[in-house]
Each structure stands twice: as structure tokens, then as C-alpha cells.
């Protein structure tokens, strides 16, 4: 079933804020959404932080090369 709302969270080397941002979205009372995280080729531990979440509503997309904010 397709969710009613898609939330896009672009990130690039923001591991310090990423866990808090994802948690904030997942704690909302409205639950019919998908959270699409677009990682613009981060070189920090962003991927590990995202992988630590076990939620079907998360979609993780990672660019192999940094493309800039507008690409996300």
C-alpha cells in the first residue's frame, strides 16, 4: 500500500543531527508516511546511523558521488 505522504530528508555529512531528525519524524502521531533519506555521498557514519533504525517506512538512497543539495 502506498503511503499518503512522502517526506524527503536530504543529508550530507550531518551524522550529528541525523539520528535526531529521523527520530523526530518517526515519533509523529500521523503514521501513514514514508521517510526518504537521500544521502549525497556522505563520508561520515551517516549510513550506520540510518541502518540502526528498524522501520519499514524508511527508504535510504545514497549517491555514489556528491551531487550537491539540489540533486537530493
Amino acid at each position: 500500500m502506498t503511503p499518503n505522504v512522502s517526506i524527503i530528508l536530504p543529508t550530507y555529512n550531518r551524522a550529528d543531527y541525523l539520528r535526531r531528525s529521523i527520530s523526530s519524524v518517526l515519533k509523529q502521531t500521523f503514521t501513514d508516511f514514508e521517510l526518504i533519506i537521500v544521502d549525497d555521498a556522505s563520508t561520515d557514519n551517516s549510513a550506520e546511523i540510518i541502518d540502526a533504525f528498524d522501520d519499514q517506512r524508511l527508504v535510504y538512497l545514497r549517491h555514489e558521488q556528491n551531487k550537491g543539495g539540489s540533486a537530493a
Side-chain angles (χ1 to χ4, degrees):
M1 185 175 201
T2 304
N4 280 331
V5 175
S6 294
I7 302 160
I8 300 174
L9 176 63
T11 188
Y12 176 68
N13 289 339
R14 296 287 185 232
D16 294 344
Y17 304 101
L18 194 54
R19 182 176 289 111
R20 185 174 170 189
S21 298
I22 295 169
S23 294
S24 177
V25 173
L26 295 178
K27 289 179 182 177
Q28 300 301 308
T29 56
F30 182 81
T31 59
D32 191 13
F33 65 84
E34 65 181 346
L35 174 58
I36 303 169
I37 303 166
V38 182
D39 183 352
D40 198 19
S42 293
T43 57
D44 61 7
N45 65 329
S46 292
E48 289 125 19
I49 290 171
I50 296 165
D51 288 341
F53 285 90
D54 184 26
D55 195 302
Q56 300 274 352
R57 298 171 293 179
L58 292 181
V59 177
Y60 178 49
L61 304 173
R62 185 177 191 284
H63 294 160
E64 293 301 317
Q65 293 182 332
N66 184 276
K67 298 179 180 184
S70 62

